[in-house]
Structure formats: structure tokens, C-alpha cells
DNA sequence: CTCCGGGGTT
DNA sequence: AACCCCGGAG
């Protein structure tokens, strides 16, 4: 039977043996883990629960305060959704407990709703994340390529069931995926499920799960403007929609696609250019340094302000903008 | 340097 | 199907 596994890892959001998991901790950590690895999440998570120990405390934080703590984690709309969902929960005065109830909150989908329901409330559901997909694809030797594979595994997981301790089963399966049944060089000789693994039996496990073609990312380029005056620079708050929404950074030009035969980028030195990779394109920004003369009058847009390098710590900057600011020596 | 993993929304 | 970001592995 698949449902005989031990939870291996101790993590700050996990309950001690015999204790009940804190839904706020599990929810917060799951959202962070949607985009980042465990070692990175641990420090972010600890800062969050120190600053906001309960969902009540969290619900009183502004989006700007949350983004300041979230900076560097990426996928910034998740911080916004987390805030919206927690405000809703506080208003309702009750933490939703079932997969069906949870899935209607912003930013909570199939995986996160099942993770919270099973880990915190012992609901009989199995969250299917990348680890579970990989483990199931190998155990049952399924060669359906991603992303279609995911739906197949979700159905398979419903058939397998969640056992008597759904939360432990879910976490054990994810631990197995991350520590033993790894994407590369899995430790099959240490695996408690070796004897029932069809992928191991058929020696297909290394190539599972199968994923379809990867497409080349297009490149974009533009200019970032570092506008200085007396040890201060101009930063601006980005729009509340689209890429890096609600975050701060130096002003930039538009980010243009390279035309097919266009000369790539200029001959700027490393110090004057940053490269940053997003999900669907790679960005190159040449940095232009502009000094304002004392007699010049600068008219700032409503979303712009002058700040010193010290003051910039109080604004949420994405990693792209940190790369630029770190080069500065005012 | 390049590649890749990781859920949810629209 | 496209969009949303970053860090770790190799």
C-alpha cells in the first residue's frame, strides 16, 4: 500500500508530532513554496510570522508593507492575493477547512486548497504538486507528457485516496519526492517504495515525467535611467497591473522585442547593463546615469520620488531593480 | 553561462 | 495557452 510513509523533515510551519498544524503557517508557507525552494522560504517565513504572528495581525498590514517583506520572492501578485484572501477569512471570522471551500479564495487553487485541508484539517484529499506528479508518474510508469499529465495524476490520486492520516501522507509524499525521488539522480536504493515502483521495475524512472518541447525565450531590451541629485535618485512605483505590479524601481524606457535582424545590444560595459530572466523573456537594460544640475527644476510624476540609498530600503524592489541599485555608489 | 522547477490566473 | 519571477543545479 502506498499510504505507509514517514514524514522526514522538520520545518517551521509543520506541527510537532501529536500537535495540530497552524492553518495560517501552513497557508503562508504553501503560497511561498509555490514559487521558491524550501531553504529560501524558511527565512522569509520566519520574518513574516515574527512581524505578523497571526492572521489577524496579517490582515491589518498594508499591501506595501507586505510587498516590502515579499521582495525577492517573485510572483508579486501572490502577495496581493494572500492579503485579499486573509482579509476575507477575517471578515468571515472562520478559517475555511475543506478543499471545496478553500479553492474559492484568491490565489488558492487545486493544490493549495488540498494541502491546507489535508495538513490542517485531516480532510481526505491529496494535494498534487510537482513532487507528487513525479512520484506517481514513476510508481505507475505513466509516460503522458506534462502538462496533461497533471490532470491524470490528480484523478489517480483520488483513486489512491489519502489514508487514515491525510496530512502526514501528503507531506510524506512530498518529502519523498524532494529527498529521494528527485528529478535527477533519484536514490532508488533508499526508496521505501522501490518494490512497488513500476518505473523502477521497467528502468524508465529517469525519464519520467515526460515534458514537451521547450521554446526559446525571446529577448527584450531597454534603458534604465539613474537620475541623480545630491546623493538621491528617482524611483517610481510601477502600475498595479502586469509585470512587477506595485513594486518600485528606477524609471525605464519600454522593453522592446529584438527584431529578427536587428543588431543585438550596444557595447555597454558590464557595469552599465543588467540582464534579467523572466518567465517568458530575457531582458537587457542599459543603464544611463544622469546628473541633475543644481539650477534645474525637476518635475516628478505623481508616482515618483527622490530617495537616498538608505531610504530605498523602505521600498519593495524586485530583483531586477536591486541589480541596478547595487551598482550605485552615490 | 544555461537549464529547470514551482502553482495559479486570465 | 500565455503570463507571472527567482534561485539552485550543472
Amino acid at each position: 500500500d502506498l499510504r505507509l510513509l514517514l514524514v522526514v523533515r522538520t520545518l517551521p510551519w509543520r506541527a510537532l508530532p501529536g500537535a495540530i498544524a497552524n492553518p495560517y503557517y501552513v497557508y503562508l508557507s504553501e503560497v511561498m513554496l509555490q514559487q521558491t525552494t524550501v531553504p529560501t522560504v524558511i527565512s522569509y517565513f520566519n520574518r513574516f510570522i515574527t512581524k505578523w504572528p497571526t492572521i489577524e495581525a496579517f490582515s491589518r498590514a498594508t499591501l506595501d508593507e507586505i510587498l516590502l517583506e515579499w521582495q525577492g520572492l517573485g510572483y508579486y501578485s501572490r502577495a496581493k492575493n494572500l492579503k485579499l484572501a486573509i482579509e476575507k477569512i477575517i471578515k468571515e471570522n472562520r478559517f475555511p477547512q475543506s478543499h471545496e471551500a478553500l479553492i474559492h479564495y484568491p490565489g488558492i487553487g487545486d493544490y493549495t486548497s488540498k494541502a491546507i485541508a489535508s495538513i490542517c484539517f485531516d480532510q481526505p484529499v491529496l494535494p498534487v504538486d510537482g513532487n507528487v506528479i513525479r512520484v506517481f508518474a514513476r510508481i505507475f510508469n505513466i509516460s503522458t507528457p506534462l502538462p496533461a499529465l497533471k490532470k491524470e495524476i490528480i484523478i489517480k490520486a483520488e483513486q489512491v485516496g489519502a489514508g487514515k492520516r491525510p496530512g502526514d501522507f501528503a507531506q510524506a509524499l512530498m518529502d519523498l519526492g524532494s529527498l529521494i525521488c528527485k528529478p535527477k539522480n533519484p536514490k532508488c536504493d533508499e526508496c521505501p517504495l522501490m518494490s512497488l515502483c513500476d518505473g523502477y521495475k521497467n528502468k524508465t524512472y529517469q525519464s519520467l515525467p515526460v515534458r514537451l518541447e521547450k521554446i526559446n525565450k525571446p529577448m527584450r531590451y531597454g534603458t534604465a535611467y539613474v537620475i541623480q541629485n545630491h546623493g538621491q535618485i528617482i524611483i517610481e512605483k510601477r502600475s498595479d497591473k502586469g509585470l512587477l505590479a506595485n513594486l518600485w524601481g528606477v524609471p525605464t524606457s519600454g522593453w522592446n522585442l529584438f527584431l529578427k535582424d536587428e543588431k543585438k545590444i550596444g557595447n555597454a560595459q558590464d557595469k552599465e547593463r543588467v540582464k534579467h530572466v523572466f518567465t517568458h523573456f530575457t531582458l537587457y537594460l542599459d543603464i544611463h546615469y544622469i546628473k541633475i544640475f543644481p539650477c534645474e527644476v525637476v518635475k516628478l510624476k505623481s508616482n515618483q520620488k527622490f530617495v537616498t540609498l538608505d531610504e530605498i530600503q523602505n521600498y519593495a524592489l524586485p530583483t531586477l531593480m536591486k541589480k541596478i541599485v547595487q551598482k550605485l555608489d552615490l
Side-chain angles (χ1 to χ4, degrees):
Chain A
D1 192 313
L2 242 184
R3 290 159 294 192
L4 294 170
L5 287 166
L6 287 177
V7 174
V8 212
R9 289 182 291 185
T10 304
L11 297 168
W13 46 87
R14 286 195 175 166
L16 296 171
I20 295 166
N22 179 331
Y24 170 51
Y25 286 9
V26 172
Y27 176 23
L28 177 61
S29 66
E30 288 298 347
V31 175
M32 290 177 169
L33 289 164
Q34 286 171 12
Q35 59 214 331
T36 316
T37 54
V38 168
T40 305
V41 165
I42 287 176
S43 61
Y44 278 91
F45 176 83
N46 286 329
R47 282 196 296 276
F48 267 71
I49 61 167
T50 300
K51 189 154 187 152
W52 302 296
T54 62
I55 54 167
E56 289 80 9
F58 188 93
S59 74
R60 290 191 293 268
T62 66
L63 181 57
D64 284 339
E65 289 170 334
I66 296 165
L67 286 173
L68 190 61
E69 294 298 319
W70 197 269
Q71 58 180 324
L73 264 181
Y75 289 147
Y76 297 95
S77 68
R78 288 166 201 233
K80 189 177 175 184
N81 285 334
L82 182 64
K83 174 178 167 54
L84 291 173
I86 285 187
E87 281 174 352
K88 191 160 174 244
I89 291 170
I90 288 295
K91 199 181 252 177
E92 293 160 352
N93 204 25
R94 180 170 180 278
F95 204 104
Q97 306 199 350
S98 69
H99 153 62
E100 292 81 6
L102 284 156
I103 201 166
H104 299 297
Y105 291 78
I108 298 184
D110 183 80
Y111 167 77
T112 309
S113 57
K114 289 176 176 171
I116 297 171
S118 61
I119 295 169
C120 302
F121 303 111
D122 266 328
Q123 304 275 311
V125 285
L126 177 59
V128 174
D129 71 346
N131 289 309
V132 176
I133 290 174
R134 188 170 58 254
V135 171
F136 270 53
R138 288 173 175 172
I139 286 179
F140 298 109
N141 196 23
I142 304 170
S143 56
T144 309
L146 288 164
L149 174 65
K150 183 173 179 174
K151 273 184 189 162
E152 199 172 327
I153 303 280
I154 288 174
I155 291 165
K156 195 86 186 166
E158 286 167 4
Q159 293 162 0
V160 169
K164 288 189 176 126
R165 291 153 57 197
D168 287 346
F169 181 50
Q171 295 179 84
L173 217 41
M174 291 188 258
D175 286 352
L176 183 80
S178 103
L179 302 175
I180 308 239
C181 197
K182 300 183 296 179
K184 288 178 183 158
N185 310 315
K187 302 177 176 178
C188 293
D189 49 339
E190 297 174 32
C191 182
L193 301 180
M194 181 173 70
S195 62
L196 54 78
C197 183
D198 282 347
Y200 182 72
K201 220 168 289 173
N202 293 291
K203 301 187 186 346
T204 52
Y205 61 89
Q206 296 128 342
S207 58
L208 296 175
V210 176
R211 62 191 68 248
L212 286 180
E213 92 298 342
K214 57 173 198 309
I215 51 143
N216 283 343
K217 282 178 205 266
M219 288 190 281
R220 290 173 178 263
Y221 73 101
T223 307
Y225 302 102
V226 175
I227 305 166
Q228 308 174 46
N229 185 15
H230 291 107
Q232 294 185 306
I233 62 165
I234 294 178
I235 61 169
E236 64 181 28
K237 190 174 191 179
R238 299 174 58 83
S239 143
D240 64 353
K241 285 192 259 308
L243 202 63
L244 305 174
N246 295 307
L247 273 79
W248 291 78
V250 298
T252 74
S253 67
W255 302 350
N256 305 307
L257 276 169
F258 278 132
L259 298 177
K260 197 174 173 196
D261 294 323
E262 192 171 358
K263 180 168 167 250
K264 296 298 177 189
I265 38 186
N267 47 11
Q269 302 299 305
D270 181 59
K271 190 174 178 296
E272 292 140 7
R273 178 187 304 147
V274 291
K275 176 191 178 187
H276 192 75
V277 182
F278 291 98
T279 307
H280 44 299
F281 64 90
T282 301
L283 174 69
Y284 294 89
L285 285 182
D286 284 347
I287 308 175
H288 281 208
Y289 298 91
I290 299 164
K291 275 217 165 67
I292 292 174
F293 291 104
C295 57
E296 285 185 88
V297 177
V298 182
K299 194 154 191 189
L300 292 176
K301 294 187 200 162
S302 64
N303 64 332
Q304 295 179 325
K305 53 175 66 177
F306 272 107
V307 293
T308 65
L309 287 189
D310 274 346
E311 288 164 346
I312 221 167
Q313 309 304 319
N314 300 318
Y315 297 85
L317 265 62
T319 301
L320 163 66
M321 294 299 174
K322 295 233 170 196
K323 287 178 186 171
I324 295 171
V325 169
Q326 274 162 14
K327 293 175 186 288
L328 264 37
D329 183 22
L330 302 185

